[in-house]
Amino acid sequence: MSSDQQEPVKTICPYCGVGCGIKVQPGEEPGDVRFMPWGEAPVNEGRICIKGGAATEVVDHEDRLIEPRIKENGEFREASWEEAYEYVVDELERIREAYGPDAMGFFGSSKVMNEENYLLQKLARRYGTNNVDNCTRMCHASTVWALRTSLGAGAMTNSMRDLREEADVFWIQGANPGEQHPIANSQYFRQAVLEGATVIQVDPHANKTTRSFQIGDTERHQHLQLNPGTDIPLLNIVLKTILEHHEENPEDGWIDEEFVAERTEGFDHLKATLEDFDKQAAAEECGVSLEDIELAAKKYAEADNAAIFTGMGMSQHACGVDNVQNEINLALITGNLGRPGTGVNPLRGQNNVQGTCDVGAMPNVLPGYQLVDDDEARESVEDVWGFEIPDEPGLTNVEISYEAGDSIKGLYVMGENPVMSEPDANAVAERLADLEFTVVQDIFHTETADYADVILPATTWAERGGTVTNTDRRVQRMRGVGKVHENTRHDREILTEIGTRLFDAGFDFDDPEEIFEELRQVCPSYHGMTYDLLGEEGLHWPCYEPGDEGDPFLYEDEFETESGLGHIEGVEHTPPAETPDDEYPLILTTARLEEHYNTGTMSTRSPTLNKQTPENFVDVHPADAERYGIEDGEYVRLHSRRGEITLEARVTDDTKEGVVWTTPHFAAASANKLTNHVLDERAKIPEYKAAAAEIDVEVEPLGETADPTAED
Ligand SMILES: Nc1nc2c(c(=O)[nH]1)N[C@H]1C(S)=C(S)[C@@H](COP(=O)(O)OP(=O)(O)OC[C@H]3O[C@@H](n4cnc5c(=O)[nH]c(N)nc54)[C@H](O)[C@@H]3O)O[C@H]1N2
Ligand SMILES: Nc1nc2c(c(=O)[nH]1)N[C@H]1C(S)=C(S)[C@@H](COP(=O)(O)OP(=O)(O)OC[C@H]3O[C@@H](n4cnc5c(=O)[nH]c(N)nc54)[C@H](O)[C@@H]3O)O[C@H]1N2
Ligand code: SF4
Ligand SMILES: [Mo]
């Protein structure tokens, strides 16, 4: 391949959910793929963050998996595709015969396209199980739950464009768009701030979001640096402040009485919940001054249009659904929904986490969020698929990992790395080691691949076409330059082959467009889309019929709940499952860096991205550093009830006293060896954002901590 032979193709950045358009083109050397800007790209108009610009660096990385591998006597050996396919199909059949279909779990991938996740969930259901899930479970599952039950759809209520143009207050709670969604932040939110909008950031940690808003008249912005896990009391202070003010000064309109009366239900429940709520005591629990929180409440309530942004700091708690419900309460009582520049907006994480959920790679819903236990919905999908779909919701991915070796005997992992990404990772590894059969389909040999029986080498994003759905529900086409390694397969090719070998019909597709055509038939919100209509701009869902433009913001006239009303419900504080005590006196929280990505499989292999921060570190507040006698740059042992890691301490007041902050990106000091496996009861999301921890200053020389699966 050379650049003379092939024009650049327009595609979408493979990292975060902003969905920036980029171009790729084969380079001079065989296998080399080059990045080029795409000036008219709809979301980013040619701008790109550090990850987008470096995205092609891993396409032809020397670590790429380039042939199928089978484990034999504990060692991997090269295998042919024929042998690998036969092995997978035989084992899937054996497990179903021996234990029934619910003994298998299937992990979809938010790094992989809509068509491919559609195929994976169809395969799971044809096999006979709803045990299919994706990384949204660890991510925005709680947000989706709260939004779906209280407003209607588990997605951003507004779009980046209307937020930039109309929002006067950006209330950013538990999200760091300056690093995790950099183009959304710089091209949309920061532009609004330059034109006068106010930012209220609620986060225990100072970061690039905090610093990116130090522009113009910075006095108006606030950073409420709360203790991890105290978001409910903080928002209850905000809500009570608004209620109290409204009682005395109804003419100020802090509460939108008309909106509350006509479009919501449950306001009395909220009032009753807050009746005996003690604001001063709550502020002390949050570790933020009451006056500061009251001032933030005033700014939000007085804004013409106020928008809430919500991220992992809210969702990844055992009270994640309640956290987001309280944000919904705030938006509903002030009438900040159903208009441009308002809403409750989760910035979705991975490049295709929105789409992976939309196409039904979740245990409780079919494509288009149709519930598996809703007979009418299920039967309408069965009519197209031609087989019976199990009618009980399946297990979530974290539950599947925890059942591994017990009720779960086999696992099919497409593009996830649970041994690093799931909480209490030592225990996850031990359980995966107990499985009878595991398939890992990835582009690299991940930490999870160590536990596989078969490894299937997939092509990367730059090599193939399909569609992905970004954070504001825009479905966009990806286009590839063709295979870099002949012996790899596109994810969809692997799934059509396995599906066709297992079942007599339903998996015979030649190209992604054919798969999309079937997806449209079973996914109402995508029904109006075709590859041609998507064109270069893409389309926002819902797009029910060809020609629909899609909605940039939702709920203009009514909510999509059964009553058509927005659901208000007061919530009470549930502290994190683990709070500091004498043995583990610090609160550990984990979050991300701009230059790294999730479990690091791609970013740590990208020279540009890895250069800045090649290994993990922990932020320690100066007062704690003094108490422990920690010097900046010194290595410490950070440990919890579940495990330990050794890493560099950075002494900084970016973090709060008593709070240690680290990242999940690095295998050698994997934060999830420490995190707590407790889940939100409804959404089943793990509490990554609060655990009890301790630091030891005397450390062993750096090295991997003990392998939990090694024999004693
Ligand atoms: N560069 C980069 N970009 C990414 C990713 C990446 O790994 N790297 N990952 C992508 C994915 S999958 C996702 S889901 C998104 C995530 O994007 P974000 O939602 O921004 O995720 P995090 O950085 O994990 O957490 C956000 C903030 O929550 C704060 N926080 C921690 N505990 C609490 C708490 O108890 N309360 C509050 N209010 N805040 C708290 C952290 O300090 C952090 O600043 O980013 C996506 N984009
Ligand atoms: N402590 C802590 N843990 C966390 C979080 C946290 O904030 N703190 N955040 C959680 C969140 S929000 C998320 S989303 C999860 C992410 O958890 P995972 O989804 O498990 O993590 P990733 O590193 O994104 O894994 C994606 C995998 O897909 C592979 N891949 C990339 N492209 C392709 C492709 O085209 N085909 C195939 N087959 N594979 C491909 C990558 O190599 C990688 O192995 O982590 C969660 N874990
Ligand atoms: S903001 Fe997200 S989508 Fe855009 S270039 Fe950066 S990582 Fe890629
Ligand atoms: Mo995520």
Side-chain angles (χ1 to χ4, degrees):
M1 283 185 279
S2 89
S3 50
D4 302 337
Q5 291 167 318
Q6 202 172 331
E7 289 290 304
V9 296
K10 291 173 178 160
T11 191
I12 305 298
C13 170
Y15 282 107
C16 88
V18 175
C20 296
I22 58 177
K23 288 186 193 171
V24 291
Q25 185 181 32
E28 302 295 318
E29 301 294 320
D32 191 19
V33 177
R34 282 200 314 227
F35 159 83
M36 287 172 69
W38 171 10
E40 292 79 41
V43 174
N44 53 314
E45 292 157 12
R47 294 178 190 84
I48 210 80
C49 79
I50 183 176
K51 290 183 298 304
T56 53
E57 286 181 6
V58 294
V59 171
D60 190 30
H61 193 280
E62 59 182 9
D63 292 349
R64 276 284 303 278
L65 289 167
I66 53 173
E67 79 276 317
R69 291 177 191 169
I70 288 180
K71 195 183 263 168
E72 221 168 55
N73 305 322
E75 299 285 330
F76 286 106
R77 64 159 172 87
E78 188 179 336
S80 69
W81 277 99
E82 183 53 37
E83 193 186 1
Y85 282 141
E86 252 178 49
Y87 188 18
V88 172
V89 166
D90 287 351
E91 280 297 284
L92 286 172
E93 280 174 341
R94 182 187 67 77
I95 286 174
R96 192 169 49 175
E97 259 165 47
Y99 308 104
D102 287 332
M104 272 302 296
F106 293 83
F107 289 179
S109 175
S110 303
K111 284 254 129 333
V112 164
M113 297 169 203
N114 288 326
E115 293 75 2
E116 296 164 329
N117 281 296
Y118 172 74
L119 280 184
L120 183 89
Q121 61 82 36
K122 188 180 176 189
L123 185 86
R125 285 165 170 144
R126 179 71 184 84
Y127 185 78
T129 183
N130 283 317
N131 291 345
V132 55
D133 205 2
N134 76 88
C135 75
T136 193
R137 188 67 45 201
M138 306 178 261
C139 185
H140 266 304
S142 43
T143 318
V144 168
W145 184 287
L147 289 172
R148 214 162 48 77
T149 49
S150 295
L151 301 179
M156 272 176 80
T157 57
N158 287 61
S159 64
M160 290 183 273
R161 201 153 279 167
D162 77 72
L163 292 162
R164 171 175 66 189
E165 284 161 13
E166 303 291 342
D168 304 304
V169 164
F170 286 74
W171 184 287
I172 303 177
Q173 190 151 0
N176 177 11
E179 300 189 62
Q180 312 327 332
H181 300 90
I183 296 296
N185 197 62
S186 62
Q187 200 177 328
Y188 289 84
F189 313 154
R190 201 163 176 273
Q191 291 310 315
V193 170
L194 280 169
E195 286 157 24
T198 296
V199 178
I200 296 169
Q201 187 190 13
V202 187
D203 198 306
H205 198 248
N207 48 38
K208 288 186 188 163
T209 300
T210 329
R211 297 187 249 279
S212 75
F213 296 122
Q214 299 304 314
I215 43 176
D217 157 29
T218 56
E219 290 294 296
R220 65 185 189 277
H221 306 315
Q222 281 181 271
H223 179 196
L224 306 178
Q225 209 167 354
L226 81 178
N227 287 319
T230 60
D231 294 273
I232 291 174
L234 189 136
L235 281 172
N236 279 344
I237 296 173
V238 172
L239 290 162
K240 185 150 185 172
T241 302
I242 292 174
L243 288 173
E244 286 170 346
H245 181 92
H246 188 75
E247 215 148 87
E248 309 220 324
N249 313 278
E251 67 287 357
D252 288 350
W254 281 21
I255 289 180
D256 186 337
E257 283 185 10
E258 201 183 311
F259 190 90
V260 171
E262 287 174 10
R263 299 210 43 197
T264 73
E265 61 192 9
F267 187 41
D268 289 341
H269 183 270
L270 175 69
K271 284 196 283 196
T273 309
L274 294 174
E275 204 163 287
D276 299 324
F277 177 73
D278 179 346
K279 291 204 299 182
Q280 185 57 48
E284 280 159 26
E285 183 151 22
C286 297
V288 182
S289 90
L290 180 57
E291 294 66 38
D292 285 349
I293 304 174
E294 287 174 336
L295 179 63
K298 176 176 188 306
K299 288 176 187 166
Y300 180 91
E302 285 182 343
D304 288 338
N305 296 313
I308 295 172
F309 296 82
T310 187
M312 299 299 100
M314 294 297 275
S315 63
Q316 292 174 334
H317 283 286
C319 59
V321 174
D322 283 347
N323 274 343
V324 179
Q325 178 61 46
N326 232 10
E327 297 181 306
I328 294 171
N329 293 339
L330 177 59
L332 282 173
I333 66 165
T334 55
N336 276 305
L337 268 162
R339 287 199 319 277
T342 65
V344 179
N345 296 288
L347 291 165
R348 299 307 303 264
Q350 303 239 37
N351 58 330
N352 197 33
V353 62
Q354 182 68 56
T356 302
C357 299
D358 296 346
V359 304
M362 292 207 285
N364 60 334
V365 293
L366 296 166
Y369 303 96
Q370 306 179 82
L371 297 169
V372 292
D373 48 8
D374 173 338
D375 293 345
E376 208 180 310
R378 198 180 57 255
E379 283 159 18
S380 75
V381 179
E382 287 173 346
D383 285 345
V384 177
W385 285 356
F387 59 82
E388 218 170 281
I389 303 166
D391 60 3
E392 294 275 321
L395 297 177
T396 66
N397 52 4
V398 181
E399 289 174 319
I400 288 170
S401 302
Y402 266 74
E403 278 294 314
D406 293 331
S407 72
I408 294 289
K409 308 293 184 192
L411 183 61
Y412 195 115
V413 184
M414 170 174 81
E416 266 195 27
N417 190 9
V419 168
M420 260 191 78
S421 59
E422 292 193 4
D424 192 4
N426 288 335
V428 173
E430 272 179 46
R431 294 203 165 92
L432 294 200
D434 285 344
L435 285 170
E436 291 184 14
F437 182 65
T438 303
V439 184
V440 167
Q441 176 173 321
D442 206 293
I443 59 175
F444 292 116
H445 185 106
T446 59
E447 291 66 29
T448 306
D450 286 347
Y451 298 88
D453 297 287
V454 187
I455 301 175
L456 303 176
T459 57
T460 64
W461 61 280
E463 299 165 73
R464 63 189 200 269
T467 60
V468 287
T469 309
N470 83 342
T471 185
D472 57 7
R473 296 171 277 104
R474 189 193 292 262
V475 182
Q476 305 191 88
R477 286 186 63 185
M478 291 187 75
R479 299 170 185 85
V481 298
K483 284 179 189 167
V484 163
H485 296 286
E486 275 315 310
N487 203 26
T488 56
R489 297 275 187 276
H490 303 319
D491 289 291
R492 64 164 194 276
E493 290 177 332
I494 301 172
L495 296 170
T496 49
E497 184 66 36
I498 292 173
T500 306
R501 283 173 186 240
L502 275 170
F503 312 113
D504 44 13
F507 291 90
D508 184 16
F509 298 95
D510 288 329
D511 60 40
E513 188 171 5
E514 233 181 83
I515 306 169
F516 192 84
E517 282 300 308
E518 185 181 293
L519 163 65
R520 291 178 56 209
Q521 304 312 315
V522 290
C523 183
S525 52
Y526 283 49
H527 185 249
M529 301 177 191
T530 63
Y531 269 27
D532 280 348
L533 290 169
L534 289 176
E536 302 219 324
E537 291 281 309
L539 282 166
H540 291 277
W541 64 257
C543 178
Y544 297 113
E545 292 303 330
D548 282 2
E549 290 290 312
D551 290 342
F553 68 94
L554 303 176
Y555 318 127
E556 186 165 10
D557 301 315
E558 61 173 359
F559 294 100
E560 283 165 29
T561 51
E562 232 160 73
S563 59
L565 301 174
H567 181 69
I568 298 171
E569 188 175 328
V571 294
E572 309 219 23
H573 183 35
T574 339
E578 251 186 12
T579 47
D581 56 20
D582 289 347
E583 206 182 346
Y584 292 99
L586 298 165
I587 308 176
L588 166 71
T589 192
T590 59
R592 299 166 155 72
L593 298 175
E594 178 171 18
E595 63 277 19
H596 277 289
Y597 198 85
N598 287 4
T599 70
T601 63
M602 291 159 73
S603 62
T604 59
R605 291 188 170 89
S606 168
T608 308
L609 300 181
N610 202 45
K611 191 163 52 189
Q612 219 165 317
T613 315
E615 58 181 74
N616 207 1
F617 63 90
V618 56
D619 278 355
V620 180
H621 189 270
D624 293 322
E626 196 177 321
R627 261 185 319 117
Y628 283 89
I630 298 170
E631 300 284 335
D632 186 43
E634 189 176 354
Y635 282 80
V636 296
R637 191 171 76 96
L638 183 61
H639 57 113
S640 75
R641 290 192 172 83
R642 292 154 295 278
E644 59 173 62
I645 55 179
T646 298
L647 72 183
E648 184 190 338
R650 294 193 182 168
V651 178
T652 168
D653 58 11
D654 279 353
T655 190
K656 248 181 114 68
E657 187 173 349
V659 179
V660 284
W661 187 101
T662 189
T663 87
H665 304 305
F666 302 92
S670 174
N672 281 324
K673 291 184 174 174
L674 315 186
T675 49
N676 196 355
H677 173 254
V678 62
L679 305 179
D680 179 289
E681 218 171 78
R682 287 167 286 180
K684 315 281 185 191
I685 191 169
E687 189 151 70
Y688 293 113
K689 292 291 193 259
E694 174 63 314
I695 285 182
D696 287 341
V697 182
E698 299 296 320
V699 297
E700 301 285 318
L702 235 201
E704 287 260 13
T705 46
D707 174 1
T709 59
E711 308 231 338
D712 297 325

